[in-house]
Amino acid sequence: MMLSQTVTFGGSALDRAAHLRADPAVAGQAGARAILLWRGKPMVIDDTLVQVPLDHPVMADTAPDLILLGRDDAGPVFAADLSGWTPPDLDITHLDTFLDPSEQKHPAMPAGAGFFELRAIMTRLTPRDAELAATAKAVLGWHDMHGFCARCGAQSVIAMSGWQRDCPACGAHHFPRTDPVVIMLITHGNAVLVGRSPGWPEGMYSLLAGFVEPGETIEAAVRREVREEAGIHVGAVRYLASQPWPFPASLMFGCAGEALGTDLSIDRTEIEDALWISREDMALSFAGLHPTIKPARKGAIAHFLIENWLADRSYDGGADAP
Ligand SMILES: [Zn+2]
């Protein structure tokens, strides 16, 4: 496996079976089953996605439209949304917080099974489960936010096994969105540029990142974001690896860039702080031994990019192979 594919959500060569999306009989195929999500939280048991046959009692509480995620040797795999169901003892204190630690259980499921925040479990899932969960969370999240036609405002309907919405009023078709984000390992000699946003855990610094704007290349977005946020001009930029990031709908483009200088001019409206940190200090931080700097979260591509920089690993020269 290529280094770039070893990142969390780096893919599992899932057969997405796009040719079956228009087939109304696909749910009747042998081995058809569903993974379960509640308000974006996948159900897992012992760090494994729960999969149920489509006639399982829990399916009585799911939305009628299933999302076809793909197909494997056992049959088609769907995502089923239980967001319309309310757990009997629901405590909303932690819902929609960054690392929601709460767990919801469904009475039709085994005691060990629960709905968990994907960020909290993502590094423990297999690549296949991570791809299924990320895809399901992103597509269901898109449906949740796009119930009405962006062209004429009429209520739209789900189509193509969840991969499209059609507008009955104006005939427009709408497709799930993925928003490109650049995240960059900006280095100067032996040091890497890191920053932090307000509200992050104390001492945590990560790589700078930002949305790619319309009409902009990935490389231009890297240079613009670093100049805007930290006042640093960047020379050569190269692509390293990407990561789907379904919080809610991003695709992270991990890049490396060479800073042309080190004088920081921080835009405090964009970020709280930025600084250069040496390879030695970053290694201490990753080992949990740095007195003040905490590293990017494990599972995020920033952690992956910095870890590989510390280990001097190279990225397959841009090549990709399944
Ligand atoms: Zn319309």
Side-chain angles (χ1 to χ4, degrees):
M1 183 182 277
M2 300 291 193
L3 177 62
S4 57
Q5 294 167 342
T6 61
V7 68
T8 301
F9 302 128
S12 64
L14 173 67
D15 172 8
R16 295 189 167 222
H19 64 289
L20 295 178
R21 290 173 185 169
D23 179 358
V26 62
Q29 287 189 5
R33 64 231 194 257
I35 66 167
L36 307 170
L37 288 93
W38 179 79
R39 303 189 190 178
K41 298 170 73 168
M43 178 173 278
V44 299
I45 184 167
D46 296 333
D47 296 333
T48 300
L49 280 183
V50 171
Q51 300 192 1
V52 297
L54 302 187
D55 59 356
H56 189 281
V58 73
M59 297 297 287
D61 285 329
T62 66
D65 292 304
L66 303 179
I67 313 296
L68 178 61
L69 300 175
R71 186 179 58 177
D72 59 18
D73 291 343
V77 189
F78 295 86
D81 186 18
L82 279 94
S83 298
W85 165 78
T86 304
D89 54 349
L90 179 62
D91 175 357
I92 61 167
T93 311
H94 299 292
L95 292 183
D96 301 324
T97 58
F98 187 79
L99 269 179
D100 169 14
S102 69
E103 172 189 351
Q104 287 75 35
K105 295 184 175 292
H106 192 284
M109 302 304 293
F115 293 106
F116 289 87
E117 160 62 41
L118 183 55
R119 278 193 189 89
I121 57 169
M122 60 188 180
T123 59
R124 302 198 295 270
L125 299 176
T126 63
R128 172 54 51 88
D129 275 1
E131 181 170 0
L132 291 172
T135 305
K137 178 172 167 27
V139 173
L140 289 174
W142 175 74
H143 285 292
D144 186 42
M145 298 291 286
H146 293 81
F148 296 86
C149 177
R151 188 203 271 172
C152 80
Q155 192 157 11
S156 57
V157 296
I158 196 164
M160 296 293 282
S161 299
W163 290 91
Q164 189 171 315
R165 296 190 72 88
D166 292 339
C167 175
C170 76
H173 304 300
H174 301 282
F175 304 94
R177 291 285 311 275
T178 298
D179 299 325
V181 175
V182 286
I183 183 159
M184 35 279 181
L185 185 87
I186 302 299
T187 56
H188 190 274
N190 190 41
V192 61
L193 178 62
V194 291
R196 58 172 280 117
S197 292
W200 284 10
E202 191 182 340
M204 193 177 104
Y205 281 80
S206 185
L207 300 179
L208 300 186
F211 286 102
V212 181
E213 294 185 345
E216 192 173 47
T217 64
I218 290 171
E219 292 82 356
V222 168
R223 294 193 183 95
R224 176 184 53 75
E225 284 286 346
V226 176
R227 196 171 59 247
E228 284 177 1
E229 295 185 350
I232 298 292
H233 290 263
V234 174
V237 172
R238 66 199 163 88
Y239 167 79
L240 298 178
S242 65
Q243 180 188 47
W245 192 243
F247 306 101
S250 293
L251 176 60
M252 312 297 290
F253 287 97
C255 295
E258 295 172 17
L260 300 177
T262 56
D263 287 342
L264 294 168
S265 171
I266 299 167
D267 180 352
R268 305 278 175 185
T269 62
E270 292 253 356
I271 55 175
E272 185 177 281
D273 192 26
L275 52 83
W276 292 98
I277 179 166
S278 71
R279 189 182 285 262
E280 292 75 18
D281 278 347
M282 186 60 89
L284 281 177
S285 171
F286 265 57
L289 300 173
H290 195 280
T292 54
I293 307 287
K294 292 189 177 65
R297 283 189 179 84
K298 196 162 164 39
I301 194 171
H303 187 282
F304 176 83
L305 297 175
I306 296 171
E307 188 175 48
N308 289 324
W309 174 69
L310 288 174
D312 242 340
R313 296 190 192 105
S314 68
Y315 286 81
D316 332 316
D320 191 39

